[in-house]
Amino acid sequence: LQSYLTLRERYDEALAVLDEAHSAADEEGKDAIAYQKVLVLLMAERLEDAFAHLRTAATALTADISDWGALALQYLRHNRLAEADSTLAEAAAWAEARINEGEVDDETAGEYRGYIADLRADLSIQQGNWEEAEAYYTVALEQDPLYKQNSHLFYMRLLQHGQPERALPYIQRDQQ
């Protein structure tokens, strides 16, 4: 029903359906419904409400690095670069606190640091700071092996921003 209402651009009704489902869901379901609500708010162009919901998720006691990433990515998608920058600083502080408190193992610490570095590379690309973007991506490569296996995610962003000469070395490395 919510999908139908959303497709028909009946966003308030779709949100009401999600609120009703949220009240009946278990904890895991509540998280999924909360994120679906954010997507409907974004489609309804109610950006401030969507950002508020994303921030609430990122700052909750049960937050994960992906919650911070979701907030930063939406700021980036909506060209709100200052907010993305400050969110990434908060995310880095949050991650380092978890790491320093021993809440995560070394592998997860690398994943956190790599993810934040990759998001910072994305921010740098949008700002036109190409060398900075490559430096952040290098950090991501060093921190998390996932980025070595998926370098196309970085060079495609460079290509999308009109930087084929900067993308070429990553493409060539990817083909080896």
Side-chain angles (χ1 to χ4, degrees):
L1 179 59
Q2 172 268 315
S3 296
Y4 171 80
L5 294 169
T6 301
L7 285 171
R8 296 286 179 201
E9 298 181 4
R10 293 166 51 186
Y11 301 119
D12 289 331
E13 292 171 84
L15 292 167
V17 168
L18 288 169
D19 287 340
E20 189 175 321
H22 189 270
S23 65
D26 62 13
E27 284 307 309
E28 188 175 311
K30 286 181 190 237
D31 289 343
I33 292 167
Y35 192 70
Q36 186 65 33
K37 186 172 183 176
V38 167
L39 296 176
V40 172
L41 289 167
L42 290 168
M43 289 175 14
E45 298 182 13
R46 292 171 48 186
L47 298 181
E48 297 313 316
D49 290 338
F51 294 145
H53 282 282
L54 288 167
R55 178 159 293 285
T56 297
T59 57
L61 291 175
T62 57
D64 186 73
I65 194 68
S66 62
D67 296 312
W68 285 103
L71 177 59
L73 284 168
Q74 288 304 324
Y75 281 137
L76 288 169
R77 285 189 181 122
H78 290 89
N79 205 31
R80 309 243 324 234
L81 304 185
E83 289 103 325
D85 188 32
S86 65
T87 297
L88 289 172
E90 289 178 79
W94 177 90
E96 290 305 318
R98 303 288 123 3
I99 294 165
N100 293 336
E101 292 167 10
E103 292 181 27
V104 298
D105 60 24
D106 290 343
E107 182 179 345
T108 303
E111 290 170 2
Y112 282 10
R113 289 176 176 140
Y115 186 46
I116 292 168
D118 185 58
L119 290 169
R120 284 219 167 269
D122 201 4
L123 173 62
S124 297
I125 287 170
Q126 289 199 30
Q127 293 169 326
N129 297 328
W130 312 115
E131 291 83 14
E132 185 177 277
E134 291 181 76
Y136 279 122
Y137 189 69
T138 298
V139 171
L141 288 171
E142 293 166 355
Q143 293 292 323
D144 187 351
L146 172 73
Y147 294 98
K148 284 182 185 170
Q149 298 166 6
N150 294 287
S151 61
H152 65 282
L153 298 173
F154 180 67
Y155 66 70
M156 288 304 297
R157 287 181 279 177
L158 291 171
L159 290 170
Q160 290 167 346
H161 285 84
Q163 297 297 308
E165 69 285 345
R166 291 186 185 279
L168 188 57
Y170 298 97
I171 294 168
Q172 290 169 334
R173 246 184 276 161
D174 199 29
Q175 293 176 345
Q176 294 176 353

